[in-house]
Amino acid sequence: ATIPGFLSRGLSIEQGELLLKKSVKLAVEARNSFWDALKVTPDHRYNRALVAASIGSYGAYLADGSEYSGCYGPRVDVDKLKDFHRRRLQVLVEAGPDLLAFETIPNKLEAQACVELLEEQNVQIPSWICFSSVDGENAPSGEGFKECLEAVSVLQLTSKAIIVYPNSGEIWDGKAKRWLPAKCFDDENFECFATIWRDSGAKLIGGCCRTTPSTVQAISKVLKGQSQ
């Protein structure tokens, strides 16, 4: 969700900001309620969940498929992307999440904008930046991951956790604005790849667009089984 997106639907800036804050507060309340209920069973094996406020890419707001191509055009520069993300970042920080998740970033330019904003706003909440990929080696823009990571090197992320959470494998048709069926992924595939990602060094593993609770459950089950 974005403030410009809310404005396009007829909401005011104030209403849009309240909805962003409410999204975090509802998640925190649900987490706290679940955690409080567990106090009656002290031998449970759950870890306390963390709430991450999602900050999607500029292309996700455009909804024209550029989220999956990384091609924003010659008029989009770092300053424009920072202007787009700035107020949403401020509002979500004020809402008090445990984490900030910059998600489906398709190019180096937007990663640079996100990093600069975190520094300029002096954000102290732990944050991650996840790149989307077309082949496991390159961002949708065609830039290699090594090149993209240069944009975040000032945060010394090389010693930080690696996060992997792909979508369902379906393909977004930006013109028709619909998902095309997946040909390669289902919950069984996620179970198989989850162990590969973990063995390759990933510390946080999950699912993104179009995955379901059953997908996450399948990932959790196989990883817990492997660790026992």
Side-chain angles (χ1 to χ4, degrees), residues 9-69:
R9 303 299 295 178
L11 278 68
S12 67
I13 292 177
E14 292 76 14
Q15 289 172 321
E17 291 182 355
L18 284 174
L19 286 175
L20 286 175
K21 290 181 179 179
K22 189 172 184 179
S23 69
V24 175
K25 293 186 181 299
L26 287 174
V28 170
E29 289 174 4
R31 184 271 312 279
N32 291 346
S33 177
F34 176 76
W35 192 249
D36 289 342
L38 287 177
K39 291 179 180 178
V40 299
T41 54
D43 58 341
H44 69 79
R45 300 177 62 186
Y46 290 99
N47 294 316
R48 185 173 183 272
L50 299 177
V51 174
S54 174
I55 302 173
S57 66
Y58 178 64
Y61 156 68
L62 296 177
D64 60 357
S66 57
E67 176 185 9
Y68 301 103
S69 70

Short mmCIF file of all heavy atoms in Angstrom, two decimals, residues 9-69:
data_model
loop_
_atom_site.label_atom_id
_atom_site.label_comp_id
_atom_site.label_asym_id
_atom_site.label_seq_id
_atom_site.Cartn_x
_atom_site.Cartn_y
_atom_site.Cartn_z
N ARG A 9 -7.55 6.47 -4.98
CA ARG A 9 -8.84 5.85 -4.67
C ARG A 9 -9.78 6.80 -3.95
O ARG A 9 -10.84 6.40 -3.48
CB ARG A 9 -8.62 4.60 -3.82
CG ARG A 9 -7.71 3.55 -4.45
CD ARG A 9 -8.26 3.02 -5.75
NE ARG A 9 -9.51 2.29 -5.56
CZ ARG A 9 -10.22 1.75 -6.53
NH1 ARG A 9 -9.82 1.88 -7.79
NH2 ARG A 9 -11.33 1.09 -6.27
N GLY A 10 -9.37 8.07 -3.86
CA GLY A 10 -10.26 9.07 -3.28
C GLY A 10 -10.07 9.34 -1.80
O GLY A 10 -10.82 10.13 -1.22
N LEU A 11 -9.08 8.72 -1.17
CA LEU A 11 -8.83 8.96 0.24
C LEU A 11 -7.95 10.20 0.40
O LEU A 11 -7.22 10.58 -0.52
CB LEU A 11 -8.15 7.76 0.90
CG LEU A 11 -9.06 6.60 1.34
CD1 LEU A 11 -9.65 5.89 0.14
CD2 LEU A 11 -8.29 5.62 2.22
N SER A 12 -8.00 10.80 1.57
CA SER A 12 -7.13 11.93 1.86
C SER A 12 -5.76 11.42 2.31
O SER A 12 -5.60 10.22 2.61
CB SER A 12 -7.73 12.79 2.97
OG SER A 12 -7.75 12.09 4.20
N ILE A 13 -4.79 12.33 2.37
CA ILE A 13 -3.47 11.94 2.86
C ILE A 13 -3.57 11.42 4.29
O ILE A 13 -2.96 10.40 4.65
CB ILE A 13 -2.50 13.14 2.80
CG1 ILE A 13 -2.22 13.51 1.34
CG2 ILE A 13 -1.19 12.82 3.53
CD1 ILE A 13 -1.32 14.73 1.17
N GLU A 14 -4.36 12.11 5.12
CA GLU A 14 -4.50 11.70 6.52
C GLU A 14 -5.11 10.31 6.63
O GLU A 14 -4.67 9.48 7.44
CB GLU A 14 -5.37 12.72 7.27
CG GLU A 14 -4.74 14.09 7.45
CD GLU A 14 -4.77 14.93 6.18
OE1 GLU A 14 -5.51 14.56 5.23
OE2 GLU A 14 -4.05 15.95 6.13
N GLN A 15 -6.13 10.02 5.81
CA GLN A 15 -6.75 8.70 5.84
C GLN A 15 -5.77 7.62 5.39
O GLN A 15 -5.72 6.53 5.97
CB GLN A 15 -7.99 8.70 4.94
CG GLN A 15 -9.16 9.50 5.49
CD GLN A 15 -10.29 9.62 4.49
OE1 GLN A 15 -10.07 9.78 3.28
NE2 GLN A 15 -11.53 9.54 4.97
N GLY A 16 -4.99 7.93 4.36
CA GLY A 16 -4.01 6.97 3.88
C GLY A 16 -2.96 6.66 4.93
O GLY A 16 -2.58 5.50 5.13
N GLU A 17 -2.49 7.70 5.61
CA GLU A 17 -1.48 7.50 6.64
C GLU A 17 -2.04 6.69 7.80
O GLU A 17 -1.34 5.83 8.37
CB GLU A 17 -0.95 8.85 7.12
CG GLU A 17 -0.13 9.57 6.06
CD GLU A 17 0.43 10.90 6.55
OE1 GLU A 17 0.11 11.29 7.69
OE2 GLU A 17 1.19 11.53 5.80
N LEU A 18 -3.29 6.94 8.16
CA LEU A 18 -3.91 6.18 9.24
C LEU A 18 -4.03 4.70 8.88
O LEU A 18 -3.83 3.82 9.73
CB LEU A 18 -5.29 6.75 9.57
CG LEU A 18 -5.31 8.05 10.38
CD1 LEU A 18 -6.73 8.59 10.50
CD2 LEU A 18 -4.72 7.83 11.77
N LEU A 19 -4.34 4.41 7.62
CA LEU A 19 -4.44 3.02 7.19
C LEU A 19 -3.09 2.32 7.23
O LEU A 19 -2.99 1.15 7.62
CB LEU A 19 -5.04 2.95 5.78
CG LEU A 19 -6.54 3.22 5.67
CD1 LEU A 19 -6.98 3.25 4.22
CD2 LEU A 19 -7.34 2.17 6.44
N LEU A 20 -2.03 3.03 6.84
CA LEU A 20 -0.70 2.44 6.92
C LEU A 20 -0.34 2.10 8.36
O LEU A 20 0.16 1.01 8.66
CB LEU A 20 0.34 3.41 6.34
CG LEU A 20 0.37 3.56 4.82
CD1 LEU A 20 1.35 4.65 4.42
CD2 LEU A 20 0.74 2.25 4.14
N LYS A 21 -0.61 3.04 9.27
CA LYS A 21 -0.31 2.79 10.68
C LYS A 21 -1.16 1.65 11.22
O LYS A 21 -0.68 0.81 11.99
CB LYS A 21 -0.57 4.06 11.49
CG LYS A 21 0.43 5.18 11.24
CD LYS A 21 0.12 6.40 12.11
CE LYS A 21 1.13 7.51 11.87
NZ LYS A 21 0.84 8.71 12.69
N LYS A 22 -2.42 1.61 10.79
CA LYS A 22 -3.32 0.57 11.29
C LYS A 22 -2.86 -0.82 10.85
O LYS A 22 -3.02 -1.80 11.59
CB LYS A 22 -4.75 0.83 10.80
CG LYS A 22 -5.80 -0.06 11.44
CD LYS A 22 -7.20 0.37 11.04
CE LYS A 22 -8.25 -0.47 11.77
NZ LYS A 22 -9.63 -0.04 11.42
N SER A 23 -2.28 -0.91 9.66
CA SER A 23 -1.81 -2.22 9.18
C SER A 23 -0.76 -2.79 10.11
O SER A 23 -0.72 -4.00 10.38
CB SER A 23 -1.26 -2.09 7.76
OG SER A 23 -0.05 -1.35 7.74
N VAL A 24 0.11 -1.93 10.63
CA VAL A 24 1.15 -2.37 11.56
C VAL A 24 0.54 -2.69 12.92
O VAL A 24 0.82 -3.73 13.53
CB VAL A 24 2.25 -1.31 11.71
CG1 VAL A 24 3.26 -1.72 12.78
CG2 VAL A 24 2.96 -1.09 10.38
N LYS A 25 -0.31 -1.80 13.40
CA LYS A 25 -0.89 -1.97 14.73
C LYS A 25 -1.74 -3.24 14.82
O LYS A 25 -1.73 -3.94 15.83
CB LYS A 25 -1.70 -0.73 15.11
CG LYS A 25 -0.83 0.51 15.30
CD LYS A 25 -1.64 1.69 15.80
CE LYS A 25 -0.75 2.93 15.95
NZ LYS A 25 0.35 2.71 16.92
N LEU A 26 -2.49 -3.56 13.77
CA LEU A 26 -3.30 -4.78 13.77
C LEU A 26 -2.41 -6.02 13.83
O LEU A 26 -2.72 -6.99 14.53
CB LEU A 26 -4.19 -4.83 12.53
CG LEU A 26 -5.39 -3.87 12.52
CD1 LEU A 26 -6.09 -3.92 11.17
CD2 LEU A 26 -6.37 -4.21 13.64
N ALA A 27 -1.32 -5.99 13.07
CA ALA A 27 -0.40 -7.13 13.09
C ALA A 27 0.25 -7.28 14.46
O ALA A 27 0.40 -8.41 14.97
CB ALA A 27 0.67 -6.95 12.01
N VAL A 28 0.63 -6.17 15.07
CA VAL A 28 1.24 -6.22 16.41
C VAL A 28 0.24 -6.74 17.43
O VAL A 28 0.57 -7.57 18.28
CB VAL A 28 1.75 -4.82 16.81
CG1 VAL A 28 2.16 -4.81 18.28
CG2 VAL A 28 2.94 -4.42 15.94
N GLU A 29 -1.01 -6.27 17.34
CA GLU A 29 -2.04 -6.72 18.28
C GLU A 29 -2.29 -8.22 18.13
O GLU A 29 -2.43 -8.94 19.13
CB GLU A 29 -3.34 -5.95 18.03
CG GLU A 29 -3.28 -4.49 18.47
CD GLU A 29 -4.53 -3.73 18.09
OE1 GLU A 29 -5.48 -4.37 17.54
OE2 GLU A 29 -4.58 -2.51 18.32
N ALA A 30 -2.34 -8.72 16.89
CA ALA A 30 -2.56 -10.15 16.66
C ALA A 30 -1.40 -10.97 17.22
O ALA A 30 -1.60 -12.01 17.85
CB ALA A 30 -2.74 -10.41 15.17
N ARG A 31 -0.18 -10.49 16.97
CA ARG A 31 1.00 -11.19 17.50
C ARG A 31 0.97 -11.22 19.03
O ARG A 31 1.21 -12.27 19.65
CB ARG A 31 2.26 -10.48 17.00
CG ARG A 31 3.60 -11.15 17.38
CD ARG A 31 4.17 -10.68 18.71
NE ARG A 31 4.18 -9.26 18.87
CZ ARG A 31 5.11 -8.43 18.37
NH1 ARG A 31 6.09 -8.89 17.66
NH2 ARG A 31 5.04 -7.12 18.61
N ASN A 32 0.68 -10.08 19.65
CA ASN A 32 0.67 -10.01 21.11
C ASN A 32 -0.42 -10.88 21.71
O ASN A 32 -0.23 -11.52 22.75
CB ASN A 32 0.50 -8.56 21.56
CG ASN A 32 1.71 -7.70 21.25
OD1 ASN A 32 2.78 -8.22 20.94
ND2 ASN A 32 1.55 -6.39 21.32
N SER A 33 -1.58 -10.90 21.06
CA SER A 33 -2.69 -11.72 21.54
C SER A 33 -2.32 -13.20 21.50
O SER A 33 -2.58 -13.95 22.45
CB SER A 33 -3.94 -11.46 20.70
OG SER A 33 -5.01 -12.29 21.10
N PHE A 34 -1.71 -13.62 20.40
CA PHE A 34 -1.29 -15.02 20.27
C PHE A 34 -0.23 -15.36 21.31
O PHE A 34 -0.28 -16.41 21.96
CB PHE A 34 -0.75 -15.26 18.87
CG PHE A 34 -0.20 -16.65 18.65
CD1 PHE A 34 -1.04 -17.73 18.48
CD2 PHE A 34 1.18 -16.86 18.63
CE1 PHE A 34 -0.53 -19.01 18.29
CE2 PHE A 34 1.69 -18.14 18.44
CZ PHE A 34 0.84 -19.21 18.27
N TRP A 35 0.71 -14.45 21.50
CA TRP A 35 1.80 -14.71 22.44
C TRP A 35 1.28 -14.77 23.88
O TRP A 35 1.71 -15.62 24.67
CB TRP A 35 2.86 -13.63 22.30
CG TRP A 35 4.15 -13.95 23.01
CD1 TRP A 35 4.66 -13.34 24.11
CD2 TRP A 35 5.08 -14.98 22.67
NE1 TRP A 35 5.85 -13.91 24.47
CE2 TRP A 35 6.14 -14.92 23.61
CE3 TRP A 35 5.13 -15.94 21.66
CZ2 TRP A 35 7.22 -15.79 23.57
CZ3 TRP A 35 6.22 -16.81 21.62
CH2 TRP A 35 7.24 -16.73 22.56
N ASP A 36 0.35 -13.90 24.21
CA ASP A 36 -0.23 -13.91 25.56
C ASP A 36 -0.97 -15.22 25.82
O ASP A 36 -0.93 -15.77 26.92
CB ASP A 36 -1.18 -12.73 25.74
CG ASP A 36 -0.44 -11.40 25.82
OD1 ASP A 36 0.78 -11.42 26.08
OD2 ASP A 36 -1.08 -10.35 25.61
N ALA A 37 -1.65 -15.73 24.78
CA ALA A 37 -2.41 -16.97 24.94
C ALA A 37 -1.49 -18.16 25.19
O ALA A 37 -1.88 -19.15 25.82
CB ALA A 37 -3.26 -17.22 23.70
N LEU A 38 -0.25 -18.06 24.72
CA LEU A 38 0.70 -19.16 24.89
C LEU A 38 1.24 -19.26 26.32
O LEU A 38 1.85 -20.27 26.68
CB LEU A 38 1.88 -19.00 23.93
CG LEU A 38 1.61 -19.29 22.45
CD1 LEU A 38 2.86 -19.00 21.63
CD2 LEU A 38 1.17 -20.73 22.25
N LYS A 39 1.03 -18.23 27.11
CA LYS A 39 1.58 -18.22 28.46
C LYS A 39 1.01 -19.34 29.32
O LYS A 39 1.62 -19.75 30.31
CB LYS A 39 1.32 -16.87 29.11
CG LYS A 39 2.12 -15.73 28.48
CD LYS A 39 1.82 -14.39 29.14
CE LYS A 39 2.63 -13.28 28.50
NZ LYS A 39 2.33 -11.95 29.09
N VAL A 40 -0.16 -19.86 28.94
CA VAL A 40 -0.76 -20.95 29.72
C VAL A 40 -0.12 -22.29 29.37
O VAL A 40 -0.38 -23.30 30.03
CB VAL A 40 -2.29 -21.01 29.47
CG1 VAL A 40 -2.94 -19.72 29.93
CG2 VAL A 40 -2.60 -21.28 28.00
N THR A 41 0.68 -22.31 28.30
CA THR A 41 1.39 -23.54 27.92
C THR A 41 2.89 -23.24 27.84
O THR A 41 3.44 -23.04 26.76
CB THR A 41 0.89 -24.07 26.56
OG1 THR A 41 0.99 -23.00 25.59
CG2 THR A 41 -0.55 -24.52 26.65
N PRO A 42 3.55 -23.19 28.98
CA PRO A 42 4.97 -22.78 29.01
C PRO A 42 5.92 -23.70 28.26
O PRO A 42 7.05 -23.31 27.97
CB PRO A 42 5.28 -22.78 30.52
CG PRO A 42 4.27 -23.69 31.12
CD PRO A 42 3.02 -23.51 30.30
N ASP A 43 5.49 -24.91 27.92
CA ASP A 43 6.37 -25.83 27.22
C ASP A 43 6.21 -25.76 25.70
O ASP A 43 6.66 -26.64 24.97
CB ASP A 43 6.13 -27.26 27.68
CG ASP A 43 4.68 -27.70 27.46
OD1 ASP A 43 3.81 -26.81 27.29
OD2 ASP A 43 4.42 -28.92 27.46
N HIS A 44 5.55 -24.70 25.21
CA HIS A 44 5.37 -24.56 23.76
C HIS A 44 6.73 -24.34 23.09
O HIS A 44 7.72 -23.99 23.73
CB HIS A 44 4.44 -23.39 23.45
CG HIS A 44 5.02 -22.04 23.75
ND1 HIS A 44 5.91 -21.41 22.90
CD2 HIS A 44 4.85 -21.20 24.80
CE1 HIS A 44 6.25 -20.25 23.40
NE2 HIS A 44 5.64 -20.09 24.57
N ARG A 45 6.75 -24.53 21.76
CA ARG A 45 8.01 -24.44 21.01
C ARG A 45 8.01 -23.28 20.03
O ARG A 45 8.81 -23.24 19.10
CB ARG A 45 8.25 -25.76 20.27
CG ARG A 45 8.35 -26.97 21.19
CD ARG A 45 8.51 -28.25 20.42
NE ARG A 45 9.73 -28.26 19.64
CZ ARG A 45 10.06 -29.21 18.77
NH1 ARG A 45 9.24 -30.24 18.58
NH2 ARG A 45 11.19 -29.16 18.10
N TYR A 46 7.11 -22.33 20.24
CA TYR A 46 7.03 -21.19 19.34
C TYR A 46 8.06 -20.12 19.70
O TYR A 46 8.37 -19.92 20.88
CB TYR A 46 5.64 -20.55 19.39
CG TYR A 46 4.55 -21.37 18.77
CD1 TYR A 46 3.70 -22.14 19.56
CD2 TYR A 46 4.35 -21.37 17.39
CE1 TYR A 46 2.69 -22.90 18.99
CE2 TYR A 46 3.34 -22.13 16.82
CZ TYR A 46 2.51 -22.89 17.62
OH TYR A 46 1.51 -23.63 17.05
N ASN A 47 8.58 -19.45 18.69
CA ASN A 47 9.36 -18.24 18.90
C ASN A 47 8.42 -17.04 18.78
O ASN A 47 7.45 -17.08 18.03
CB ASN A 47 10.47 -18.11 17.85
CG ASN A 47 11.51 -19.20 17.99
OD1 ASN A 47 11.95 -19.52 19.09
ND2 ASN A 47 11.91 -19.79 16.87
N ARG A 48 8.72 -16.00 19.51
CA ARG A 48 7.88 -14.80 19.43
C ARG A 48 8.01 -14.18 18.04
O ARG A 48 9.11 -13.86 17.60
CB ARG A 48 8.29 -13.79 20.50
CG ARG A 48 7.39 -12.56 20.59
CD ARG A 48 7.78 -11.71 21.79
NE ARG A 48 6.90 -10.56 21.95
CZ ARG A 48 7.09 -9.39 21.36
NH1 ARG A 48 8.13 -9.22 20.56
NH2 ARG A 48 6.25 -8.38 21.56
N ALA A 49 6.90 -14.04 17.37
CA ALA A 49 6.91 -13.51 16.00
C ALA A 49 7.31 -12.04 15.98
O ALA A 49 7.04 -11.30 16.94
CB ALA A 49 5.53 -13.67 15.37
N LEU A 50 7.95 -11.63 14.91
CA LEU A 50 8.30 -10.23 14.69
C LEU A 50 7.43 -9.67 13.58
O LEU A 50 7.10 -10.36 12.62
CB LEU A 50 9.78 -10.10 14.30
CG LEU A 50 10.80 -10.61 15.33
CD1 LEU A 50 12.21 -10.48 14.77
CD2 LEU A 50 10.67 -9.85 16.64
N VAL A 51 7.06 -8.42 13.72
CA VAL A 51 6.21 -7.76 12.73
C VAL A 51 7.08 -6.88 11.83
O VAL A 51 7.76 -5.97 12.31
CB VAL A 51 5.12 -6.90 13.40
CG1 VAL A 51 4.35 -6.10 12.35
CG2 VAL A 51 4.17 -7.79 14.20
N ALA A 52 7.05 -7.18 10.54
CA ALA A 52 7.81 -6.39 9.56
C ALA A 52 6.85 -5.53 8.75
O ALA A 52 5.87 -6.04 8.20
CB ALA A 52 8.60 -7.31 8.63
N ALA A 53 7.11 -4.24 8.70
CA ALA A 53 6.31 -3.34 7.87
C ALA A 53 6.84 -3.39 6.44
O ALA A 53 8.02 -3.14 6.20
CB ALA A 53 6.38 -1.91 8.41
N SER A 54 5.97 -3.74 5.51
CA SER A 54 6.38 -3.93 4.13
C SER A 54 6.42 -2.61 3.36
O SER A 54 5.48 -1.81 3.42
CB SER A 54 5.41 -4.89 3.43
OG SER A 54 5.70 -4.97 2.05
N ILE A 55 7.53 -2.40 2.65
CA ILE A 55 7.69 -1.22 1.81
C ILE A 55 8.00 -1.73 0.40
O ILE A 55 9.12 -2.10 0.08
CB ILE A 55 8.82 -0.31 2.33
CG1 ILE A 55 8.52 0.13 3.77
CG2 ILE A 55 9.01 0.90 1.42
CD1 ILE A 55 9.63 0.89 4.43
N GLY A 56 6.96 -1.79 -0.41
CA GLY A 56 7.11 -2.33 -1.76
C GLY A 56 7.79 -1.36 -2.71
O GLY A 56 7.98 -0.18 -2.40
N SER A 57 8.13 -1.85 -3.87
CA SER A 57 8.87 -1.05 -4.84
C SER A 57 7.97 -0.03 -5.54
O SER A 57 6.74 -0.11 -5.51
CB SER A 57 9.50 -1.96 -5.89
OG SER A 57 8.48 -2.59 -6.66
N TYR A 58 8.61 0.93 -6.17
CA TYR A 58 7.90 1.94 -6.96
C TYR A 58 7.10 1.27 -8.07
O TYR A 58 5.98 1.66 -8.37
CB TYR A 58 8.93 2.91 -7.54
CG TYR A 58 8.36 3.99 -8.44
CD1 TYR A 58 7.48 4.95 -7.95
CD2 TYR A 58 8.74 4.07 -9.78
CE1 TYR A 58 6.97 5.95 -8.77
CE2 TYR A 58 8.24 5.07 -10.61
CZ TYR A 58 7.35 6.01 -10.09
OH TYR A 58 6.85 7.00 -10.91
N GLY A 59 7.69 0.22 -8.66
CA GLY A 59 7.00 -0.49 -9.73
C GLY A 59 5.73 -1.16 -9.27
O GLY A 59 4.77 -1.28 -10.03
N ALA A 60 5.69 -1.61 -8.00
CA ALA A 60 4.47 -2.22 -7.47
C ALA A 60 3.35 -1.20 -7.43
O ALA A 60 2.18 -1.53 -7.68
CB ALA A 60 4.74 -2.79 -6.08
N TYR A 61 3.68 0.05 -7.10
CA TYR A 61 2.67 1.11 -7.10
C TYR A 61 2.17 1.39 -8.52
O TYR A 61 0.97 1.56 -8.75
CB TYR A 61 3.26 2.38 -6.49
CG TYR A 61 2.58 3.65 -6.92
CD1 TYR A 61 1.27 3.95 -6.53
CD2 TYR A 61 3.23 4.56 -7.75
CE1 TYR A 61 0.64 5.10 -6.95
CE2 TYR A 61 2.61 5.72 -8.17
CZ TYR A 61 1.31 5.99 -7.77
OH TYR A 61 0.69 7.14 -8.19
N LEU A 62 3.09 1.39 -9.49
CA LEU A 62 2.69 1.66 -10.87
C LEU A 62 1.78 0.56 -11.42
O LEU A 62 0.91 0.83 -12.25
CB LEU A 62 3.93 1.78 -11.76
CG LEU A 62 4.88 2.95 -11.46
CD1 LEU A 62 6.09 2.87 -12.37
CD2 LEU A 62 4.17 4.29 -11.62
N ALA A 63 1.99 -0.68 -10.94
CA ALA A 63 1.17 -1.83 -11.36
C ALA A 63 1.16 -2.01 -12.87
O ALA A 63 0.16 -2.41 -13.46
CB ALA A 63 -0.25 -1.68 -10.83
N ASP A 64 2.29 -1.70 -13.50
CA ASP A 64 2.39 -1.84 -14.96
C ASP A 64 3.37 -2.93 -15.38
O ASP A 64 3.73 -3.05 -16.55
CB ASP A 64 2.81 -0.51 -15.58
CG ASP A 64 4.17 -0.03 -15.07
OD1 ASP A 64 4.75 -0.70 -14.19
OD2 ASP A 64 4.64 1.02 -15.54
N GLY A 65 3.81 -3.72 -14.40
CA GLY A 65 4.76 -4.78 -14.69
C GLY A 65 6.20 -4.38 -14.47
O GLY A 65 7.10 -5.23 -14.52
N SER A 66 6.47 -3.08 -14.23
CA SER A 66 7.86 -2.64 -14.07
C SER A 66 8.48 -3.15 -12.77
O SER A 66 9.70 -3.17 -12.64
CB SER A 66 7.94 -1.11 -14.12
OG SER A 66 7.13 -0.51 -13.14
N GLU A 67 7.63 -3.58 -11.84
CA GLU A 67 8.14 -4.23 -10.64
C GLU A 67 8.93 -5.48 -11.00
O GLU A 67 9.84 -5.89 -10.28
CB GLU A 67 6.97 -4.59 -9.73
CG GLU A 67 7.34 -5.37 -8.48
CD GLU A 67 6.12 -5.80 -7.68
OE1 GLU A 67 4.98 -5.65 -8.19
OE2 GLU A 67 6.30 -6.30 -6.56
N TYR A 68 8.58 -6.08 -12.14
CA TYR A 68 9.22 -7.33 -12.56
C TYR A 68 10.17 -7.12 -13.73
O TYR A 68 10.73 -8.09 -14.25
CB TYR A 68 8.14 -8.35 -12.93
CG TYR A 68 7.21 -8.64 -11.78
CD1 TYR A 68 5.93 -8.10 -11.75
CD2 TYR A 68 7.62 -9.42 -10.71
CE1 TYR A 68 5.08 -8.34 -10.67
CE2 TYR A 68 6.79 -9.67 -9.64
CZ TYR A 68 5.52 -9.12 -9.63
OH TYR A 68 4.68 -9.35 -8.57
N SER A 69 10.36 -5.87 -14.15
CA SER A 69 11.31 -5.58 -15.22
C SER A 69 12.43 -4.65 -14.75
O SER A 69 13.52 -4.66 -15.30
CB SER A 69 10.60 -4.94 -16.42
OG SER A 69 10.18 -3.62 -16.11
#
